[in-house]
Amino acid sequence: MKPRHRRLAWIAAGLAVLGVAVALVLNAFQSNLVFFFSPTDVAEQKAPQGRTFRIGGLVEEKSVRRDGIVVHFNVTDTAKTIPVSYQGILPDLFKEGKGVVAQGKLGPDGVFVASEVLAKHDENYMPPEAAAAVSKAHIEAAEKNAAKTLVR
Amino acid sequence: MALNWYRFSSPATFYPLAGRLVPLFGWGAAVLAAVGLWLGFVVAPTDFQQGEVYRIIFIHVPSAWMSMFLYVVMAFWGALLLGFNTRLSGMMAQAIAPTGALMTFIALWSGALWGRPTWGTYWAWDARMTSELILLFLYFGIIALRQAIGDPRRADRACAVLALVGVVNIPIIYFSVKWWNTLHQGASVKLTGSSMETTMLAGMLVMSFAFWFYAIAVVLARVRTIVLERERGAAWVAELPEARSA
Amino acid sequence: MNHWHFILGAYGVTVLAMVVEILAARARRRAALEAARAGADAPVPGAQLSGTGGPG
């Protein structure tokens, strides 16, 4: 290859990379800056109607119920709550009282039918003994705090 | 004491100085990594919700920090080049780009392998991950731009401009978890304190220094090579013992 | 819940990437020295001959 051809090839590669980067930015700004909507957003009709979106919040305590292969649970931001049904494998960190992000559609009956459920964990790292002590002492406070972090 | 900083911006002075620093930082990185891994895998306890898999944090967070930090340093050298036209600045910026891209790749890769067992997915198009991916493409773009422009001095200027424009992405990466709803959790280490157990935090910080030393060693070694490439034919290069023909 | 294969995958690829980077940097340095040696015998026309001191 002549130097001039090599240079043109690099310019083409650079433009392709730049194009991909711009496409990613636009894509991100269009739909993904809001990765998920909180139950309050949904109640206020801020979530897109009639198409797939994600909801995020905490899995409400004592709301997880298994009905054959379908799992039912409620997602809450402590202000509003949305019932969710899901058929599939739940991530290991899916737990009552912990963060969750579910992708799916809101049915006419108000039940969110999820096609994918992801666990959203918090930024706390500690050994189990410490976690047990903390949760015993401030179970209520911690929940409210986590909800605030999630909803913001 | 009046130190002549311009003296160090001369490649002929910088070359031997960098040569003495490379093994220093290289071995420093090895020792720090050994201590950091010992802290991370032997001393630090199992996490209460993630089990063992959280130990990916000891490379994920340091590499993600370095990916952003190196970019800022690269843009800083670019600004120096545009402002003062110091020859070494362009070489520094050129030497940083590949290591920055590598750190970004490590952050994305380790993040994917951490996300699968915890969140339930390797990848999600949330603001944190998307902006970090854009950082990788910025590094690629800067490297490609240099290859496209044959003349090193013109390439220096073009890359400096592109690097400076791309700096806007850095606060977006850092604050994305604060500004928007993301799958990625918030920062565990902030100026106001940390939400990690002490030995976990210690392991992560020591590993961060290890990554730092590694990056300094590799970048300095690469700057030396770039100096050789660009100053080939200069009298002082011909006098170097390693460049003398046998 | 011990996902050691994920940990191994993350650390393994990190070490591999660093080794590749170091080897590439070494190869590039060897090539540059080779060229400098060749340049010592027959200086490249147009090379910058400003070796000592001074900005820019």
Side-chain angles (χ1 to χ4, degrees):
Chain A
M1 252 200 310
K2 285 181 193 156
R4 195 162 55 91
H5 292 165
R6 208 183 53 125
R7 187 124 65 103
L8 280 175
W10 275 108
I11 290 173
L15 283 177
V17 166
L18 206 68
V20 171
V22 170
L24 287 179
V25 174
L26 291 179
N27 185 39
F29 274 73
Q30 197 166 34
S31 57
N32 291 300
L33 282 188
V34 182
F35 189 69
F36 59 80
F37 295 87
S38 69
T40 303
D41 291 337
V42 176
E44 289 168 0
Q45 316 243 305
K46 279 188 197 153
Q49 309 281 321
R51 70 177 181 89
T52 305
F53 65 98
R54 296 188 193 88
I55 59 165
L58 297 176
V59 182
E60 196 176 48
E61 292 284 356
K62 299 190 180 71
S63 73
V64 178
R65 181 161 60 76
R66 274 162 220 275
D67 185 6
I69 46 169
V70 185
V71 188
H72 300 270
F73 58 92
N74 295 342
V75 172
T76 179
D77 57 8
T78 66
K80 297 272 187 227
T81 300
I82 290 180
V84 177
S85 74
Y86 173 63
Q87 191 180 321
I89 300 158
L90 290 166
D92 288 347
L93 291 189
F94 178 89
K95 256 187 208 128
E96 292 186 344
K98 296 287 178 190
V100 69
V101 175
Q103 180 172 351
K105 267 184 178 163
L106 196 61
D109 53 352
V111 175
F112 189 85
V113 182
S115 55
E116 186 184 33
V117 171
L118 302 177
K120 179 178 161 65
H121 64 80
D122 57 29
E123 65 272 25
N124 298 312
Y125 301 92
M126 56 184 121
E129 313 84 68
V134 169
S135 71
K136 227 173 208 165
H138 319 278
I139 192 150
E140 296 281 305
E143 244 172 49
K144 272 197 187 126
N145 234 328
K148 240 192 286 163
T149 321
L150 270 167
V151 174
R152 204 178 317 267
Chain B
M1 192 180 73
L3 200 76
N4 186 358
W5 284 104
Y6 276 128
R7 221 170 73 79
F8 288 104
S9 72
S10 151
T13 324
F14 182 80
Y15 183 89
L17 173 73
R20 282 197 299 276
L21 292 177
V22 168
L24 220 66
F25 281 103
W27 286 110
V31 170
L32 282 167
V35 175
L37 289 175
W38 172 72
L39 280 170
F41 281 85
V42 181
V43 180
T46 306
D47 182 59
F48 73 113
Q49 52 183 351
Q50 299 188 16
E52 303 297 343
V53 80
Y54 91 93
R55 295 186 199 276
I56 291 175
I57 202 171
F58 300 117
I59 45 170
H60 178 72
V61 171
S63 60
W65 278 346
M66 284 309 297
S67 71
M68 294 187 279
F69 181 73
L70 285 176
Y71 192 92
V72 173
V73 175
M74 182 177 70
F76 167 78
W77 285 113
L80 272 190
L81 174 95
L82 292 178
F84 300 97
N85 202 23
T86 39
R87 206 157 22 135
L88 197 59
S89 307
M91 302 189 199
M92 288 297 260
Q94 181 185 355
I96 288 172
T99 302
L102 183 94
M103 289 296 164
T104 315
F105 165 73
I106 293 174
L108 289 167
W109 176 265
S110 60
L113 288 185
W114 192 4
R116 181 74 189 105
T118 53
W119 301 332
T121 183
Y122 288 107
W123 182 262
W125 291 99
D126 88 338
R128 170 56 72 82
M129 290 166 238
T130 307
S131 53
E132 182 76 8
L133 184 64
I134 289 170
L135 182 68
L136 184 66
F137 280 99
L138 271 172
Y139 277 123
F140 284 168
I142 286 167
I143 293 167
L145 183 64
R146 178 171 298 279
Q147 299 298 326
I149 304 172
D151 176 38
R153 303 299 292 268
R154 270 177 57 221
D156 280 349
R157 305 194 142 265
C159 290
V161 172
L162 180 54
L164 283 170
V165 171
V167 164
V168 288
N169 191 37
I170 299 298
I172 292 179
I173 297 173
Y174 190 79
F175 292 110
S176 54
V177 290
K178 246 188 141 119
W179 291 343
W180 301 294
N181 286 339
T182 54
L183 180 61
H184 197 288
Q185 66 279 11
S188 292
V189 181
K190 302 186 197 94
L191 286 177
T192 48
S194 101
S195 57
M196 290 174 78
E197 191 266 346
T198 321
T199 53
M200 294 174 176
L201 180 66
M204 198 176 86
L205 292 180
V206 173
M207 283 301 279
S208 298
F209 280 112
F211 272 64
W212 213 333
F213 275 47
Y214 169 83
I216 292 172
V218 176
V219 167
L220 285 180
R222 199 177 284 119
V223 175
R224 271 161 64 84
T225 305
I226 292 167
V227 168
L228 279 180
E229 284 169 359
R230 291 207 199 176
E231 303 271 309
R232 171 161 51 113
W236 71 271
V237 171
E239 280 159 25
L240 287 172
E242 63 261 43
R244 229 172 268 153
S245 31
Chain C
M1 217 173 51
N2 295 324
H3 305 275
W4 282 105
H5 52 292
F6 286 109
I7 300 175
L8 207 68
Y11 279 83
V13 170
T14 298
V15 171
L16 201 72
M18 286 177 169
V19 168
V20 168
E21 186 185 30
I22 292 168
L23 290 180
R26 287 203 164 169
R28 191 173 165 185
R29 175 168 164 79
R30 264 198 306 279
L33 279 173
E34 199 89 352
R37 258 179 237 129
D41 298 334
V44 186
Q48 292 148 355
L49 290 164
S50 51
T52 45

